[in-house]
């Protein structure tokens, strides 16, 4: 069982940056591929970025490529999402997720979910 807790959300102006963190419980953090999802107002939850268990492989949706960076520190059981040049359309609740595999996927096939953290970008 993995418990995930997101932090770092808030209100920022367009063009600014924000860094989200996802703290995970358990002693086998490196055995889980991780991902960030988001759900904007009136939208379905959608994946933003994914990272392999070791952190060697990352994937992004086109809308955030070049602006967002996913990373992880397995020694700290923590995953991050650095978000730069934020846009109003990035406004959403951001969720971290984990799957019992070291291989990441850009599908919703994740086994554990956090409660989410709100990111609001004002234009």
């Amino acid at each position: 069982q993995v418990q995930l807790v997101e932090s770092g959300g808030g209100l920022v102006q367009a063009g600014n940056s924000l860094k989200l963190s996802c703290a995970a419980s358990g002693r086998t953090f490196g055995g889980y591929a991780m991902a960030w999802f988001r759900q904007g107002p009136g939208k379905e939850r959608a994946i933003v970025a994914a990272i392999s268990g070791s952190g060697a492989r990352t994937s992004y949706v086109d809308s955030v490529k070049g602006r967002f960076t996913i990373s992880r520190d397995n020694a700290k059981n923590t995953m991050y999402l650095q978000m730069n040049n934020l846009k109003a359309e990035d406004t959403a609740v951001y969720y971290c997720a984990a799957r019992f595999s070291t291989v990441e996927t850009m599908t919703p096939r994740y086994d554990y979910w956090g409660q989410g953290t709100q990111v609001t970008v004002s234009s």
Side-chain angles (χ1 to χ4, degrees):
Q1 190 77 2
V2 176
Q3 292 185 325
L4 304 172
V5 179
E6 304 95 336
S7 63
L11 172 64
V12 295
Q13 290 188 328
N16 284 355
S17 300
L18 206 58
K19 187 173 185 177
L20 305 182
S21 299
C22 174
S25 64
R27 295 181 293 177
T28 58
F29 183 64
Y32 295 87
M34 305 284 293
W36 287 99
F37 288 74
R38 67 185 178 185
Q39 186 168 15
K43 298 181 180 179
E44 294 186 353
R45 188 162 59 185
I47 196 164
V48 175
I51 189 167
S52 62
S54 67
R57 296 186 308 274
T58 59
S59 300
Y60 301 89
V61 293
D62 287 346
S63 60
V64 306
K65 283 181 180 177
R67 299 190 299 122
F68 289 13
T69 302
I70 188 172
S71 62
R72 65 191 296 162
D73 185 338
N74 287 352
K76 296 182 178 180
N77 281 18
T78 304
M79 176 181 66
Y80 305 98
L81 186 67
Q82 176 67 46
M83 305 184 292
N84 297 330
N85 191 22
L86 282 160
K87 304 176 181 180
E89 51 263 42
D90 295 319
T91 295
V93 178
Y94 283 72
Y95 299 90
C96 66
R99 66 193 304 255
F100 194 57
S101 169
T102 58
V103 179
E104 76 284 10
T105 177
M106 291 295 282
T107 73
R109 293 169 61 183
Y110 284 79
D111 304 303
Y112 306 103
W113 298 83
Q115 293 300 307
T117 185
Q118 176 70 47
V119 172
T120 303
V121 184
S122 62
S123 57

